């Protein structure tokens, strides 16, 4: 631990600020873990356990935020993310050791007792957290995880006596409950506490199950906490547990001075679950092990099966092994061996892992996106993109979510911006919302018409890419015939208009085709990818132009695979139209402009004072192929010159210097932050992809490496964010804190960086005809190897680069036979050798 502290004193700031290399932790690639060696991280760091169905966040000092199905509408633990790192947040464990005078108490998580540890490690693993702490002559190992497919959070606690004499030890795990409607917990201190109920149920053999619910959920959904072993006593009322009318604190609960807790139930108030587990006298060198469960089921009767299962420690071990097997299988879909260790570590473990997280929680639940209220939810554009990051690994799970997204597409073809998963499951007719555009509802223009769109110009287009991705990955074209409802607010799903998946995609494209502006470019809508630029209706967007053109290319591929040449021709016509309109209007001389407002004024032009150049119009015009030749290269070179920094590509420059009501959101940030000239990381992989399309592998790889969080492990006093996942943003060079990362975990950066690395740098991607291998790599690489699972077969791919080029397949040999292109055939089973020579 870096903090020098005694039990009751605060950490000494000087020590915390001291700079040493990799002072916070290290990557253990063999175990696929990041190991923290101090709890005093620059900001809160966390990990995820379980899935959206049941699971949530576990922070590095033992706080847990658990939800079932929906963070806003079915929250279980009361984790207040804004509290300081050192404060109790929803859960902890106290270890109590008997001494001559009474007891010594510490928490193996450090928080909330803030005890000095002899040794402390937090292992951030694949869907589990493990702490190893040494204190008071005891070695405590705590592992927290959710068994695959279960509704239970397990806490496997093992206490080993390292001393020569035996020690009498008690273990007191504690959870604090939240009202299921997370926001109400914070905003209503009358009704909420009156409803919160906790009861203790003793079993004959000394086990106890604590049952908790908000009163109206009694017969439908109850939370419970129990342990595998007998319990001496419990507390369910926070006031009783902390003691002295809460003058006792989480750091030193007064009740821990007594042998037993008070067996307090709680008919109203602040519900907790504290168990007094007497480990008894642990002999020298011996270990006591116990496992707690926190779960939610319809009733305790329904829960009894899971309770019995996980009271058997063999089943706990089995569940942990199964979790490891899940990850082994998941990660084995794509494994690379390149000359770059940081690239390998990110691509083989941490990036696909983060994609699994964004797939589950969209932008709904993190230490930044707090999951309160239904103002957010599962984002249409966000999840459509996230799904592409898991498509090779779990296409059927991805499809399930994609179908939910399609079900909140309007019959007109545009889409609702977000939906709440629980409301969707309840089919309550009101599951989706129009995002921030709701704030401008009712604002009228000079003619008395709505001044702003109630739809986003990009949402409905992303899903075309997602579905195309699924089809290419699986070959299951029948999906296109599946009927899915459109979204008609207020109606039950059965009453809504339906269309096939193909019809949904057609309406997406048709919506944009029929919503073009003055220059023939797609309208911005309320916003495009950049949420912070909300121009009045009539504005056009270069980003939407690129995305629309790319979606048209994908649709042409789909129609070609269906043998529908007429539709291919039609969409090709639409593509050519928009390409021409873009080239006729959006070129500024050295780069592409970003928007036109309804009067036709350009944004992202050299003439502007702020926001002269934007990253996305350069990258997406190349990705979609609407920028070609010199202009494509010139746009990307201007981006490199004006937007690139050592910490990533800025989304625009220069940042606005003060609030400008004409542009709104973007100018609410100081220059260099977020969308206002910050390094909004999500845009960076698009730059990488565009560079690979131009064949510039050295540049693409530079863009990759400069944002690789693993490479920031020795710069964490600057970066501050978790080194094992991408954050959403890094402050740009106009800001004093240039290089500081924020909003870890839930960012589109994850999916797109993974796609950029695997499909464009490594260059292995699914197509209707087979597996394309067409890399674009740093010229200095001699080659690399990849294993890729595709449609039931395993492809062992070796790429050789004898001439040290970046791109260009000179030869492809599959199972000893020369192939005329860069596409390995579809085999459906077996292991196949692919050797590609660049040159
Ligand atoms: C946030 C939003 C995302 C948006 C991005 C850029 O990440 O979740 O939808 O595209 O900001 O504004």
């Amino acid at each position: 631990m870096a903090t020098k502290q005694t039990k009751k004193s605060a950490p000494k700031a000087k020590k915390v600020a001291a700079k040493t290399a990799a002072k916070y932790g290290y990557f253990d690639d063999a175990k696929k873990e990041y190991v923290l060696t101090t709890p005093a991280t620059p900001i809160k760091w966390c990990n995820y356990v379980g899935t959206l169905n049941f699971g949530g966040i576990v922070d590095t000092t033992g706080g847990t935020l658990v939800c079932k199905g929906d963070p806003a509408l079915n929250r279980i633990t009361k984790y207040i993310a804004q509290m300081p790192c050192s404060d109790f947040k929803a859960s902890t464990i106290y270890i109590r050791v008997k001494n001559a005078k009474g007891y010594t108490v510490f928490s193996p998580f450090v928080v909330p007792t803030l005890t000095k540890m002899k040794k402390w490690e937090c292992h951030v693993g694949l869907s589990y957290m493990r702490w190893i702490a040494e204190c008071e002559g005891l070695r405590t190992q705590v592992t927290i995880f959710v068994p695959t497919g279960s509704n239970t959070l397990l806490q496997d606690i093992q206490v080993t006596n390292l001393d020569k004499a035996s020690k009498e030890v008690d273990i007191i795990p504690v959870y604090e409950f939240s009202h299921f409607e997370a926001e109400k917990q914070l905003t209503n201190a009358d009704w909420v506490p009156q409803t919160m109920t906790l009861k203790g149920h003793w079993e004959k053999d000394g086990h106890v199950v604590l049952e908790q619910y908000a009163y109206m959920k009694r017969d439908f959904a109850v939370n419970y906490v129990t342990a595998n072993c007998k319990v001496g006593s419990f507390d369910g009322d926070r006031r009783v547990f902390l003691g002295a009318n809460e003058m006792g604190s989480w750091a030193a609960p007064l009740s821990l001075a007594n042998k037993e807790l008070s067996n307090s139930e709680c008919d109203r108030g602040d519900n907790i679950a504290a168990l007094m587990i007497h480990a008894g006298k642990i002999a020298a060198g011996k270990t006591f092990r116990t496992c707690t469960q926190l779960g939610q089921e319809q009733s305790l009767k329904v829960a009894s099966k899971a309770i019995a299962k996980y009271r058997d420690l063999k089943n706990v071990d089995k569940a942990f092994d199964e979790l490891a097997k899940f990850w082994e299988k998941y990660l084995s879909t794509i494994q690379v061996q390149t000359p770059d260790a940081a690239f390998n570590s990110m691509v083989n473990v941490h990036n696909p892992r983060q994609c699994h997280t964004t797939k589950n929680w969209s932008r709904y639940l993190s230490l930044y996106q707090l999951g309160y209220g239904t103002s957010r939810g599962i984002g249409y554009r966000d999840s459509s993109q996230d799904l592409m990051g898991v498509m090779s690994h779990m296409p059927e799970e991805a499809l399930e979510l994609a179908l939910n997204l399609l079900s909140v597409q309007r019959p007109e073809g545009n889409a609702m911006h977000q939906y709440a998963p629980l409301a969707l499951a309840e089919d309550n007719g009101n599951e989706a919302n129009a995002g921030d555009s709701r704030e401008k509802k009712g604002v009228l223009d000079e003619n008395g018409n709505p001044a702003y769109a109630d739809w986003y110009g990009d949402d409905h287009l992303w899903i075309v890419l997602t579905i195309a991705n699924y089809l290419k990955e699986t070959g299951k074209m029948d999906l296109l015939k599946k009927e899915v409802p459109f979204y008609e607010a207020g109606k039950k799903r059965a009453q809504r208009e339906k269309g096939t998946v193909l019809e949904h995609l057609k309406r997406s494209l048709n919506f944009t085709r029929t919503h073009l502006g003055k220059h023939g470019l797609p309208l911005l809508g309320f916003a495009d990818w950049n949420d912070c630029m909300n121009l009045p209706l009539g504005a056009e967007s270069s980003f939407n132009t690129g995305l629309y053109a790319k979606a048209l290319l994908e649709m042409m591929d789909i129609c070609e695979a269906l043998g529908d040449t007429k539709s291919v021709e039609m969409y090709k016509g639409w593509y050519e139209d928009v390409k021409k309109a873009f080239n006729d209007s959006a070129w500024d001389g050295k780069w592409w402009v970003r928007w036109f407002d309804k009067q036709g004024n350009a944004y992202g032009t050299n003439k502007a004072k702020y926001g002269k150049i934007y990253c996305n119009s350069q990258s997406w015009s190349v990705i979609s192929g609407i920028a070609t030749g010199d202009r494509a290269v010139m746009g990307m070179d201007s981006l490199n010159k004006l937007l690139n920094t050592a910490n990533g590509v800025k989304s625009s420059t220069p940042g606005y210097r003060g609030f400008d009501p004409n542009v709104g959101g973007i100018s609410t940030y100081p220059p260099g932050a977020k969308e206002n000239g910050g390094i909004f990381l999500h845009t960076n992989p698009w730059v990488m992809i565009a560079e690979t399309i131009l064949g510039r592998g050295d540049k693409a790889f530079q863009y990759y490496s400069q944002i690789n969080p693993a490479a920031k492990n020795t710069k964490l006093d600057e970066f501050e964010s978790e080194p094992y996942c991408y954050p959403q943003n890094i402050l740009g060079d106009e800001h004093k804190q240039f290089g500081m990362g924020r909003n870890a975990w839930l960012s589109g950066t994850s999916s797109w960086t993974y796609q950029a690395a695997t499909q464009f740098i490594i260059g292995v991607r699914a197509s209707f005809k087979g597996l394309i291998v067409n890399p674009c790599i740093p010229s200095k690489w001699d080659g690399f190897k990849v294993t890729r699972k595709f449609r039931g077969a395993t492809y062992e791919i070796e790429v050789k680069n004898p001439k040290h080029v970046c791109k260009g397949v000179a030869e492809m040999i599959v199972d000893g036979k020369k192939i005329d292109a860069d596409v390995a055939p579809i085999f459906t089973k077996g292991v196949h050798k692919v050797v590609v020579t660049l040159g």
Side-chain angles (χ1 to χ4, degrees):
M1 263 174 74
T3 51
K4 264 262 178 243
Q5 48 186 306
T6 54
K7 228 176 105 188
K8 279 176 191 133
S9 69
K12 281 186 189 155
K14 226 170 124 194
K15 200 78 182 183
V16 175
K19 280 199 183 208
T20 51
K23 71 181 198 186
Y24 297 102
Y26 59 91
F27 285 89
D28 182 343
D29 278 355
K31 292 206 175 120
K32 303 185 171 56
E33 290 176 343
Y34 182 85
V35 184
L36 276 89
T37 49
T38 169
T41 48
I43 51 173
K44 287 183 204 90
W45 290 1
C46 75
N47 192 6
Y48 284 78
V49 293
T51 63
L52 177 65
N53 291 337
F54 184 92
I57 294 172
V58 181
D59 74 21
T60 54
T61 56
T64 50
L65 202 179
V66 185
C67 310
K68 187 175 176 207
D70 197 317
L73 300 176
N74 194 8
R75 191 167 295 212
I76 299 173
T77 56
K78 187 170 149 195
Y79 184 102
I80 314 284
Q82 291 98 334
M83 300 307 279
C85 293
S86 52
D87 278 18
F88 172 87
K89 286 179 282 309
S91 55
T92 194
I93 298 172
Y94 298 95
I95 306 282
R96 192 169 81 161
V97 192
K98 189 134 180 51
N99 59 32
K101 287 189 224 127
Y103 299 105
T104 308
V105 177
F106 71 92
S107 166
F109 307 127
V110 176
V111 174
T113 58
L114 307 183
T115 316
K116 183 189 173 193
M117 301 280 156
K118 193 161 169 227
K119 173 180 175 178
W120 188 89
E121 286 174 359
C122 170
H123 297 237
V124 180
L126 293 169
S127 296
Y128 68 89
M129 277 296 225
R130 172 169 289 161
W131 291 261
I132 295 172
E134 287 180 20
C135 188
E136 295 291 326
L138 297 174
R139 180 177 190 273
T140 314
Q141 177 179 304
V142 182
T143 309
I144 296 184
F145 71 104
V146 174
T148 313
S150 83
N151 297 327
T152 320
L153 181 84
L154 298 181
Q155 194 167 230
D156 181 354
I157 308 166
Q158 302 181 28
V159 182
T160 305
N161 184 354
L162 303 175
D163 277 357
K164 294 209 176 69
S166 67
K167 283 179 192 292
E168 194 172 331
V169 176
D170 300 311
I171 300 168
I172 307 103
V174 188
Y175 289 101
E176 185 172 19
F177 292 100
S178 165
H179 190 266
F180 60 89
E181 270 190 70
E183 194 172 16
K184 287 228 169 78
Q185 175 68 56
L186 303 180
T187 57
N188 190 322
D190 171 32
W191 178 75
V192 165
Q194 296 286 6
T195 69
M196 296 288 273
T197 313
L198 187 131
K199 290 189 185 318
H201 301 275
W202 286 103
E203 294 171 7
K204 278 191 220 90
D205 55 4
H207 285 92
V208 76
V209 178
L210 302 183
E211 181 189 25
Q212 193 279 336
Y213 47 78
Y215 193 65
M216 60 287 220
K217 289 269 178 171
R218 183 191 61 191
D219 304 330
F220 313 104
V222 301
N223 302 319
Y224 63 89
V225 168
T226 190
N228 72 315
C229 57
K230 285 188 214 164
V231 163
S233 50
F234 68 85
D235 263 326
D237 189 336
R238 189 179 76 182
R239 188 162 62 163
V240 176
F241 179 71
L242 296 181
N245 289 339
E246 297 207 344
M247 283 323 239
S249 67
W250 285 113
L254 297 178
S255 61
L256 294 185
N258 309 323
K259 181 161 192 299
E260 294 296 347
L261 302 176
S262 312
N263 291 340
S264 60
E265 296 188 329
C266 199
D267 289 327
R268 66 166 311 287
D270 295 298
N271 292 180
I272 64 164
L275 301 177
M276 174 62 76
I277 299 170
H278 299 301
K281 281 212 160 88
I282 306 179
K286 293 286 179 217
T287 300
F288 176 86
R289 182 177 177 198
T290 181
C291 183
T292 67
Q293 306 176 29
L294 164 69
Q296 185 188 91
E297 288 298 348
Q298 195 189 330
S299 64
L300 285 191
K301 196 157 168 259
V302 176
S304 60
K305 225 172 121 196
I307 290 178
K309 181 172 177 186
Y310 297 117
R311 277 191 183 158
D312 182 344
L313 294 177
K314 281 204 272 329
N315 288 331
V316 174
D317 291 337
K318 220 169 121 202
F320 192 72
D321 288 348
E322 276 165 13
L323 186 66
K325 283 204 193 89
F326 163 82
W327 279 107
E328 207 180 293
K329 182 160 179 264
Y330 181 91
L331 296 176
S332 72
T333 310
I334 306 176
Q335 285 290 299
V336 304
Q337 268 175 274
T338 78
D340 192 288
F343 181 85
N344 296 347
S345 158
M346 217 56 206
V347 172
N348 290 337
V349 184
H350 304 284
N351 195 176
R353 193 271 142 100
Q354 188 179 354
C355 289
H356 180 266
T357 308
T358 55
K359 186 261 167 194
N360 269 281
W361 283 280
S362 194
R363 305 296 169 272
Y364 211 177
L365 186 72
S366 74
L367 295 179
Y368 302 85
Q369 328 269 11
L370 301 176
Y372 291 122
T374 45
S375 62
R376 226 174 150 101
I378 302 295
Y380 203 100
R381 79 152 74 90
D382 297 322
S383 287
S384 301
Q385 295 171 75
D386 294 342
L387 293 182
M388 293 189 250
V390 299
M391 202 55 93
S392 322
H393 303 67
M394 38 166 48
E396 300 314 319
E397 284 92 334
L399 176 63
E400 203 184 316
L401 178 44
L403 293 173
N404 285 344
L405 293 169
L406 283 175
S407 79
V408 296
Q409 182 183 11
R410 289 166 169 152
E412 296 79 14
N414 60 3
M416 302 302 288
H417 197 53
Q418 286 147 353
Y419 75 84
L422 209 62
L424 187 81
E426 283 168 5
D427 193 10
N428 70 9
N430 192 24
E431 64 267 27
N433 69 65
D436 290 342
S437 71
R438 287 168 292 177
E439 288 164 19
K440 297 275 186 183
K441 215 177 165 178
V443 180
L444 301 179
D445 67 11
E446 56 285 0
N447 302 318
N449 297 318
Y452 291 88
D454 67 350
W455 46 272
Y456 289 70
D458 64 326
D459 279 337
H460 56 283
L461 294 170
W462 292 109
I463 198 76
V464 180
L465 274 55
T466 317
I467 296 292
N469 238 263
Y470 173 85
L471 296 172
K472 288 179 182 175
E473 192 63 46
T474 64
K476 295 183 183 167
M477 301 303 281
D478 273 356
L479 169 69
L480 292 168
K481 296 188 201 140
K482 190 181 168 65
E483 295 234 304
V484 180
F486 289 98
Y487 186 72
E488 293 177 277
K491 286 190 190 167
K492 291 260 182 202
R493 258 198 300 287
Q495 290 146 11
R496 296 179 189 167
E497 184 184 344
K498 282 198 178 62
T500 62
V501 169
L502 186 62
E503 180 62 22
H504 277 261
L505 304 189
K506 284 181 176 169
R507 290 201 198 177
S508 296
L509 295 168
N510 197 54
F511 182 86
T512 300
R513 167 81 175 171
T514 52
H515 288 78
L516 303 174
K518 272 192 191 146
H519 299 92
L521 305 182
L523 290 181
L524 169 66
F526 183 70
D528 56 31
W529 169 87
N530 187 334
D531 263 342
C532 288
M533 194 66 157
N534 311 120
L535 300 170
L537 198 56
E540 293 161 286
S541 154
S542 289
F543 177 84
N544 288 346
T545 308
L547 180 59
Y548 169 60
K550 175 70 182 160
L552 285 168
L553 291 177
E554 294 296 340
M555 191 64 162
M556 285 182 236
D557 277 359
I558 294 173
C559 293
E560 198 185 301
L562 291 174
D564 179 1
T565 43
K566 223 172 118 204
S567 296
V568 175
E569 284 313 308
M570 181 184 83
Y571 290 122
K572 194 157 189 286
W574 293 12
Y575 179 86
E576 291 304 334
D577 289 348
V578 82
K579 180 175 177 182
K580 182 170 185 308
F582 183 69
N583 277 276
D584 286 351
S585 62
W587 184 246
D588 191 56
K590 287 187 180 149
W591 58 79
W592 302 98
V593 303
R594 184 66 175 79
W595 295 281
F596 291 107
D597 65 17
K598 69 171 181 177
Q599 288 82 20
N601 303 311
Y603 289 75
T605 143
N606 198 20
K607 290 185 216 81
K609 193 160 174 206
Y610 306 120
K612 275 176 180 293
I613 173 170
Y614 286 79
C615 167
N616 287 345
S617 29
Q618 320 318 319
S619 57
W620 271 90
S621 55
V622 175
I623 293 171
S624 61
I626 55 175
T628 50
D630 289 351
R631 284 181 173 185
V633 173
M634 224 195 270
M636 292 303 292
D637 285 347
S638 298
L639 174 157
N640 182 271
K641 195 167 150 218
L642 300 170
L643 296 173
N644 194 34
T645 76
N647 287 310
V649 180
K650 297 182 279 185
S651 57
S652 63
T653 204
Y656 287 91
R657 279 163 170 65
F659 184 65
D660 175 351
N662 293 323
V663 294
I666 194 167
S667 65
T668 58
Y669 296 108
K674 297 266 280 191
E675 284 93 338
N676 191 27
I679 301 163
F680 208 98
L681 236 51
H682 190 161
T683 64
N684 280 238
W686 294 331
V687 177
M688 298 166 206
I689 295 172
E691 286 295 354
T692 65
I693 290 169
L694 297 182
R696 304 197 293 193
D698 290 315
K699 275 219 156 61
F701 202 73
Q702 183 203 336
Y703 289 128
Y704 182 90
S705 301
Q706 70 193 12
I707 65 160
N708 188 344
K712 310 226 183 247
N713 200 37
T714 49
K715 292 201 334 187
L716 288 172
D717 285 316
E718 174 184 296
F719 183 57
E720 296 194 353
S721 194
E722 288 99 312
Y724 43 84
C725 64
Y726 290 96
Q728 180 213 63
N729 66 85
I730 296 178
L731 288 167
D733 55 6
E734 287 182 84
H735 198 284
K736 277 195 190 137
Q737 284 162 304
F738 175 49
M740 177 198 279
R742 279 296 184 275
N743 204 338
W745 283 103
L746 302 186
S747 163
T749 316
S750 182
S751 165
W752 281 104
T753 314
Y754 192 59
Q755 293 179 66
T758 55
Q759 299 182 23
F760 294 91
I761 295 175
I762 289 303
V764 179
R765 54 185 181 271
S767 78
F768 288 116
K769 298 202 175 95
L771 193 64
I772 298 176
V773 184
N774 192 346
C776 184
I777 55 174
S779 50
K780 68 169 188 222
W781 284 11
D782 292 325
F784 61 89
K785 288 185 179 160
V786 204
T787 305
R788 168 68 146 93
K789 295 200 175 140
F790 174 61
R791 302 219 197 163
T794 301
Y795 295 70
E796 298 283 2
I797 304 165
E798 186 179 355
V799 174
K800 298 178 181 166
N801 190 19
K803 294 195 180 143
H804 287 274
V805 297
C806 289
K807 194 174 181 174
V809 173
E811 187 184 70
M812 177 186 251
I813 295 176
V814 181
D815 291 335
K817 276 192 238 114
K818 211 173 154 199
I819 301 271
D820 273 344
D822 58 0
V823 190
I826 298 164
F827 290 109
T828 68
K829 59 176 191 275
V831 179
H832 302 274
K833 275 224 139 335
V834 181
V835 182
V836 167
T837 308
L838 303 181

